[in-house]
Amino acid sequence: MTLIPETLRDNVRLLGELLGGTLLEHHGTDIYRKVEEIRKQGKVVNQSDTGDATELIKTLSSLEDKDILPIARAFNQFLNLANIAEQQYFSSAESSNKDILEDSIVELTRNIGKDQVAAALKELDIELVLTAHPTEVTRRTLIRKYERVSKVLRESSRTDLFQYEKDQLTDQLKRTIDEVWHTDEVRDERPSAVDEAKWGFAVIENSLWSAVPDFLRELDAIARRTTGQGIGIDHCPFHFYSWMGGDRDGNPNVTHEVTREVLILGRWMAADLYLRDISDLTARLSMEITTPSFAENWGEHAKTPYRQCMHRIKQNLQNTRLWAEETLAGQVSTTKPPISTKEELLAPLMACYESLCEVGLKRVADGELLDTIRRVHCFGISLVPLDIRQDSERHLLAIDEVTQYVGLGSYAQWDENKKQAFLYEQLESKRPLIPRKWQPSADTLEVLDTCFEVAKQPRETLSHYIISMARHPSDVLAVALLLRECGVEWNVPIVPLFETLDDLDRAPKVMTELWESKWYREYIDQQQTVMIGYSDSAKDAGKITATWAQYKAQETLVKLAKKNEVTLMLFHGRGGTIGRGGGPVEKAMASQPPGSVPGRIRVTEQGEMIRYKFGLPRVAIRSLAVYVAATLRATLDPHDAPKPEWRTLIEQMSDQSLHRYRQIVREDERFVPYFRSLTPEQELGKLALGSRPAKRKASGGIESLRAIPWVFAWMQVRLNLPAWLGAPQALDFALKEQPDVLADMVENWPFFSSYLDLLEMVIGKADGSIAAYYEQQLVDPAYHSLGEVLRTDLKRSEVLLNEIKDQDMILASDPLLRQSINVRNPYTDPLNYLQAELLKRERNSGQISQDLEQALKVTMAGISAGMRNTG
């Protein structure tokens, strides 16, 4: 039975045919026929009961070296184009018969009450943090071309097109696919941290700049229809922040100079975008009718006072842009001071708005002028205020260097009580700790220079200071001291990030000690953000154990914050993949502990997920709608706390899973060599994914490997191990020991049912037979027994899931996803078999030709596209 909608299937077929035409035209019939043969064999493999890939492997093995690159590129580009068609379809009105946002608000007003929903909408605070995690494989050049393809597909769906318009759109598609085909799909050079920040700005410029005011209009209209109250012109329920250019954790390429450059670029970009708005408003606001106060204060008694006001704003924005250009060029700026607060923009804009309303031109005021006002509220003076992130050890070593220099001994060697006593003493002292004439080490100097940079920048351009691997109260206090010593005059929100299993367990104790401190309570003004790390905790302990530890930590922190009268915002450091805390927003919100989303939440959006969720205006509007609906539900109608028997069973399941996970990953001496030889972990560096190294430290093994390449490597070989290792032991235990309790959890606990759904999605994308082929080609036979154990566990996970969900096949409850995977597999599988062959050649000979190395990189990008995520 075909479940993929007609329009989507037609678009996939159309793009495939156009790509085939390009291939035929530029590479001839021989390559075209080989691609078709491989595609058909891939389809046969996926449709057969046995999944025998012998004929497909035989065909791939017989390919001449000169043919491998164009064939790999053909399959890669088909997968990219299929993703575009799917993304475009699901962002269209046709893909959904219901409005998730309006339906949610209607239901909440019915169950909770109109006034409560209206109040919650006005208080909603969703913070979305764009991070530069190196998971975006696709080049920005190609992203722009893919956006053009999506735009043409959307235009083509119109029913009022003349034939010549249809022909024009087809020609545009052909041209764009030609451009795509003749553009390298992988970068030659690793992007710099500044390049990554520019990519973040481009997402705002090309998508969010128009999506945000459009969405706020929709939200305001829905709120008025359902609650009788609008959201107000001065409230934006979400704001965007960034780690791009601020995240220096384990990344020596992000320096204080880079942070300064990114902050100035953000102010330049903001000024440039606002200038476009002001130019448009200058043309529109030609009215002469105004209020006397506006004419006097802003209009300078000109014939067209609103235009005169716009000219004043324009001059300030041009000064800001020129200041940024001169500063970036290393010149001493001679222009007037740049705009440094959003109030400088809002005051004249709001004066225009109020005057227009007062003279009876509210419709005019509520047009493009309101859009610009809302943009200022959302994006401020720098588009995305920057978070600074650094590892706790860097702060510890910096203070240790100071204490040793001034003769106080080694701070690093002191116990926690002594550290805290020292830090509080220094924080309450009026004397500086750091000597003025002192030459610290390069690492310590960089920590201090970063803090000096924070002191120099306008407060509105910065957001939080995140401490990675936070373990003790002293880790937080150390940052407060360093910032003060460097001249920061405002209380920067300092956010501990609890990442490993032990850190999550320790988090409540750490925060209790801090919240019981009078000095600290005054510093935070009873407002605290705590970050929960999903990636590293899952890598440390396995998915189910980490997920339960995160739940418990959040639950306890919420209770402790309430007890200490602290307003808590939880910051969720989720990745794109299930193994790193990713998954649908609705499921993630619904599975949070009750009371942990009190109208406010902070979430990272990482790598390629930024493009999938916010890369196109219509997609961005849909994503924002999902976030608002899910946050409202979690705030106003949270699920009940888990029953005692659920807690007991999930704790036992967690123990079973943790034992198995660490038994394999930490204790089995075969594991590291198996991982290194089976996966392309060591070859991933060829992709030049991002500015950050794959490891936190140059030395070290699996434990120092970042969660992103860890997940990426397993995903490439289709084993997807980080998301399910330990799961069959946990599920088997529950089925045998407490089947009734387990059934109750599946039916009535969103936290657990969401975990099962995400686990099922990962297993649905895995393929043990492909992983076995990698093993056969690349792994020493001495380690094959471990592979058999892992693939048996993978299969066991599938069997247990089907039993628990009472279904005949995996993803039976999500047939559209199942079919989407089945459509992609005939194109993804050949890339896997090719990749294994190319890895074998490179490792055996030490090197391969430039074309074959390029083909290897293309297979990595293509498999990522086929799986719909990287790390």
Side-chain angles (χ1 to χ4, degrees):
M1 182 176 68
T2 299
L3 294 160
I4 293 180
E6 199 70 39
T7 311
L8 174 55
R9 196 167 63 249
D10 289 346
N11 281 342
V12 170
R13 187 184 300 118
L14 171 64
L15 293 175
E17 288 172 356
L18 292 177
L19 179 63
T22 296
L23 188 67
L24 188 61
E25 181 180 345
H26 295 284
H27 291 274
T29 55
D30 186 47
I31 289 289
Y32 178 79
R33 276 201 298 265
K34 287 176 180 175
V35 167
E36 276 298 290
E37 181 185 5
I38 293 165
R39 183 185 68 82
K40 287 174 182 174
Q41 288 177 341
K43 205 168 181 180
V44 168
V45 171
N46 280 275
Q47 288 176 344
S48 70
D49 294 332
T50 61
D52 184 4
T54 305
E55 287 302 313
L56 174 59
I57 293 167
K58 186 177 175 183
T59 301
L60 292 168
S61 301
S62 66
L63 292 175
E64 297 178 58
D65 284 4
K66 66 180 178 61
D67 294 341
I68 289 177
L69 179 56
I71 288 171
R73 295 189 66 229
F75 283 92
N76 173 41
Q77 289 301 351
F78 174 83
L79 288 163
N80 279 309
L81 293 171
N83 285 346
I84 293 166
E86 194 169 284
Q87 185 184 36
Q88 192 279 325
Y89 175 79
F90 285 112
S91 71
S92 68
E94 180 186 352
S95 70
S96 176
N97 294 321
K98 64 175 187 174
D99 186 319
I100 183 173
L101 182 57
E102 184 152 15
D103 286 356
S104 296
I105 293 177
V106 166
E107 185 179 341
L108 287 169
T109 56
R110 190 184 304 124
N111 298 337
I112 308 296
K114 290 184 178 181
D115 289 345
Q116 290 91 328
V117 175
L121 277 169
K122 290 174 183 174
E123 296 293 323
L124 213 56
D125 184 11
I126 302 167
E127 300 188 353
L128 302 175
V129 184
L130 311 182
T131 75
H133 284 254
T135 57
E136 176 54 90
V137 172
T138 314
R139 293 178 61 198
R140 280 171 59 193
T141 303
L142 281 171
I143 289 171
R144 286 192 286 270
K145 297 183 193 303
Y146 294 150
E147 286 170 353
R148 207 179 310 146
V149 170
S150 181
K151 187 176 179 181
V152 173
L153 290 179
R154 188 169 69 249
E155 284 292 305
S156 301
S157 66
R158 286 171 46 195
T159 57
D160 62 342
L161 292 173
F162 292 109
Q163 187 57 46
Y164 79 90
E165 291 176 308
K166 293 178 183 178
D167 293 342
Q168 283 179 341
L169 290 170
T170 302
D171 286 343
Q172 280 187 50
L173 270 183
K174 288 178 179 177
R175 278 197 302 275
T176 307
I177 288 174
D178 276 351
E179 291 173 20
V180 166
W181 183 253
H182 290 282
T183 302
D184 281 345
E185 47 268 274
V186 288
R187 305 180 186 96
D188 292 326
E189 295 181 3
R190 193 175 287 275
S192 69
V194 174
D195 290 333
E196 291 171 332
K198 288 178 179 176
W199 179 79
F201 297 146
V203 171
I204 294 173
E205 177 185 11
N206 299 328
S207 176
L208 290 169
W209 195 254
S210 63
V212 164
D214 286 350
F215 172 73
L216 290 175
R217 282 185 180 282
E218 179 193 5
L219 179 61
D220 187 67
I222 291 171
R224 289 179 188 280
R225 283 197 300 271
T226 55
T227 71
Q229 302 177 48
I231 60 170
I233 65 173
D234 59 348
H235 175 60
C236 186
F238 43 79
H239 294 87
F240 297 90
Y241 300 85
S242 177
W243 281 11
M244 301 179 196
D247 182 7
R248 60 245 306 124
D249 173 24
N251 188 351
N253 300 309
V254 178
T255 62
H256 69 283
E257 293 100 337
V258 165
T259 296
R260 182 195 310 137
E261 183 177 353
V262 167
L263 287 168
I264 296 169
L265 277 170
R267 294 174 75 182
W268 183 95
M269 191 75 225
D272 191 67
L273 288 171
Y274 287 128
L275 273 168
R276 300 177 206 178
D277 276 21
I278 297 303
S279 294
D280 181 50
L281 288 171
T282 303
R284 289 180 177 278
L285 300 181
S286 57
M287 294 70 67
E288 298 176 21
I289 182 172
T290 184
T291 59
S293 64
F294 181 83
E296 183 177 343
N297 296 324
W298 299 100
E300 300 175 10
H301 298 289
K303 183 175 174 61
T304 51
Y306 302 108
R307 281 184 169 174
Q308 186 61 34
C309 182
M310 291 302 119
H311 286 310
R312 288 174 61 177
I313 299 173
K314 183 177 181 179
Q315 189 62 55
N316 288 337
L317 288 167
Q318 287 174 332
N319 287 340
T320 298
R321 196 170 60 176
L322 181 58
W323 163 84
E325 289 166 359
E326 290 174 344
T327 305
L328 288 169
Q331 302 168 8
V332 177
S333 180
T334 56
T335 62
K336 290 182 181 178
I339 293 170
S340 58
T341 68
K342 66 182 179 183
E343 185 56 35
E344 294 172 59
L345 287 170
L346 282 173
L349 291 170
M350 284 303 299
C352 282
Y353 183 89
E354 289 163 0
S355 175
L356 286 166
C357 290
E358 202 171 324
V359 298
L361 294 176
K362 190 170 190 309
R363 272 198 299 270
V364 175
D366 284 338
E368 286 75 7
L369 176 58
L370 178 57
D371 288 346
T372 299
I373 290 169
R374 283 177 165 161
R375 285 187 181 113
V376 176
H377 279 294
C378 182
F379 298 113
I381 63 169
S382 60
L383 299 185
V384 276
L386 210 58
D387 279 354
I388 305 296
R389 182 167 83 131
Q390 182 58 281
D391 191 288
S392 61
E393 187 180 24
R394 291 291 298 274
H395 309 130
L396 178 141
L397 294 176
I399 293 180
D400 182 70
E401 201 170 322
V402 174
T403 58
Q404 292 206 50
Y405 178 80
V406 299
L408 294 175
S410 174
Y411 171 83
Q413 299 300 316
W414 299 346
D415 64 26
E416 178 62 15
N417 288 337
K418 188 173 181 181
K419 284 176 184 169
Q420 286 189 45
F422 169 77
L423 293 167
Y424 279 125
E425 180 186 352
Q426 295 301 319
L427 285 164
E428 291 172 351
S429 171
K430 294 180 180 178
R431 293 176 303 176
L433 171 66
I434 300 175
R436 289 177 182 266
K437 295 182 179 179
W438 172 53
Q439 186 57 50
S441 66
D443 280 356
T444 293
L445 182 61
E446 179 53 40
V447 169
L448 296 175
D449 281 343
T450 297
C451 294
F452 280 121
E453 202 57 54
V454 171
K456 293 175 191 172
Q457 299 298 330
R459 181 170 176 172
E460 289 183 19
T461 64
L462 294 157
S463 181
H464 294 68
Y465 195 118
I466 317 292
I467 308 167
S468 298
M469 295 295 171
R471 294 189 170 94
H472 309 285
S474 61
D475 291 331
V476 175
L477 299 173
V479 171
L481 179 60
L482 289 167
L483 290 169
R484 197 205 67 173
E485 288 289 318
C486 295
V488 179
E489 295 180 348
W490 57 288
N491 291 352
V492 179
I494 301 169
V495 180
L497 165 52
F498 299 106
E499 300 181 76
T500 66
L501 186 62
D502 288 344
D503 293 345
L504 287 167
D505 290 342
R506 196 185 294 120
K509 180 177 182 295
V510 171
M511 297 316 301
T512 297
E513 285 190 42
L514 286 168
W515 290 338
E516 289 176 350
S517 157
K518 182 175 181 291
W519 182 92
Y520 188 74
R521 283 201 308 276
E522 289 177 357
Y523 179 89
I524 64 172
D525 191 26
Q526 303 300 103
Q527 307 279 327
Q528 177 76 58
T529 300
V530 174
M531 186 168 182
I532 305 295
Y534 287 71
S535 303
D536 284 285
S537 55
K539 177 170 168 279
D540 174 49
K543 176 65 179 167
I544 191 169
T545 304
T547 303
W548 178 233
Q550 291 149 12
Y551 188 98
K552 289 188 293 182
Q554 292 175 60
E555 199 174 40
T556 308
L557 286 169
V558 167
K559 291 175 184 173
L560 289 170
K562 190 173 182 180
K563 177 183 174 185
N564 287 278
E565 299 181 334
V566 170
T567 300
L568 177 66
M569 176 180 276
L570 288 169
F571 183 3
H572 300 268
R574 295 179 178 276
T577 56
I578 309 307
R580 296 183 43 249
V585 171
E586 312 94 302
K587 290 184 186 297
M589 290 287 194
S591 61
Q592 298 305 310
S596 66
V597 189
R600 55 188 175 272
I601 194 165
R602 202 171 209 254
V603 184
T604 54
E605 290 291 356
Q606 299 185 358
E608 81 280 3
M609 300 313 296
I610 295 172
R611 177 161 58 95
Y612 289 154
K613 290 184 181 179
F614 303 110
L616 298 171
R618 288 170 66 91
V619 177
I621 288 170
R622 188 177 179 87
S623 297
L624 294 172
V626 169
Y627 259 116
V628 169
T631 307
L632 269 180
R633 280 188 176 280
T635 299
L636 295 172
D637 192 19
H639 294 280
D640 294 334
K643 298 176 184 176
E645 58 266 32
W646 295 355
R647 287 180 179 279
T648 301
L649 182 55
I650 195 77
E651 197 73 53
Q652 293 169 328
M653 293 172 70
S654 172
D655 290 343
Q656 293 286 326
S657 177
L658 177 63
H659 175 73
R660 178 59 165 182
Y661 185 89
R662 289 187 170 169
Q663 180 187 50
I664 296 289
V665 175
R666 292 191 180 183
E667 297 168 17
D668 195 318
E669 60 185 18
R670 299 169 297 174
F671 183 77
V672 172
Y674 183 82
F675 167 67
R676 290 253 153 91
S677 54
L678 180 82
T679 73
E681 178 251 335
Q682 295 174 76
E683 289 82 7
L684 289 179
K686 297 177 186 295
L687 272 181
L689 285 176
S691 68
R692 195 168 72 168
K695 290 186 176 182
R696 280 193 164 89
K697 298 177 181 177
S699 60
I702 299 292
E703 71 285 348
S704 69
L705 187 69
R706 289 191 177 277
I708 292 164
W710 163 253
V711 173
F712 193 133
W714 286 111
M715 181 274 299
Q716 286 283 306
V717 300
R718 306 283 289 278
L719 201 53
N720 300 351
L721 176 139
W724 58 260
L725 184 60
Q729 286 71 30
L731 297 177
D732 192 48
F733 174 86
L735 268 171
K736 288 177 179 173
E737 301 296 326
Q738 296 281 344
D740 293 340
V741 175
L742 178 65
D744 191 20
M745 287 163 62
V746 172
E747 186 68 27
N748 298 307
W749 192 13
F751 165 81
F752 188 70
S753 60
S754 172
Y755 163 73
L756 288 185
D757 288 345
L758 296 177
L759 176 64
E760 185 176 19
M761 186 195 302
V762 170
I763 290 170
K765 291 183 177 184
D767 190 316
S769 61
I770 288 177
Y773 182 75
Y774 277 85
E775 178 181 285
Q776 175 195 332
Q777 296 296 307
L778 302 169
V779 179
D780 186 319
Y783 305 126
H784 284 195
S785 55
L786 176 59
E788 290 171 11
V789 168
L790 295 177
R791 291 191 298 278
T792 300
D793 268 12
L794 172 63
K795 185 63 183 174
R796 182 69 179 143
S797 297
E798 181 179 340
V799 170
L800 289 166
L801 265 175
N802 288 338
E803 183 178 347
I804 290 167
K805 289 196 162 194
D806 192 24
Q807 59 190 23
D808 296 329
M809 64 174 71
I810 206 76
L811 293 174
S813 58
D814 195 346
L816 195 59
L817 174 60
R818 180 180 175 83
Q819 193 162 350
S820 175
I821 292 170
N822 289 341
V823 166
R824 284 180 173 79
N825 281 348
Y827 298 87
T828 311
D829 294 359
L831 289 173
N832 280 115
Y833 292 117
L834 262 181
Q835 184 183 90
E837 176 63 28
L838 292 169
L839 287 170
K840 181 181 178 182
R841 290 193 198 183
E842 182 175 64
R843 291 177 186 179
N844 287 347
S845 64
Q847 63 177 24
I848 50 179
S849 71
Q850 189 173 345
D851 275 1
L852 290 185
E853 181 166 302
Q854 181 73 0
L856 175 58
K857 291 189 278 189
V858 170
T859 64
M860 294 180 193
I863 293 164
S864 298
M867 301 289 279
R868 284 303 299 263
N869 43 34
T870 50

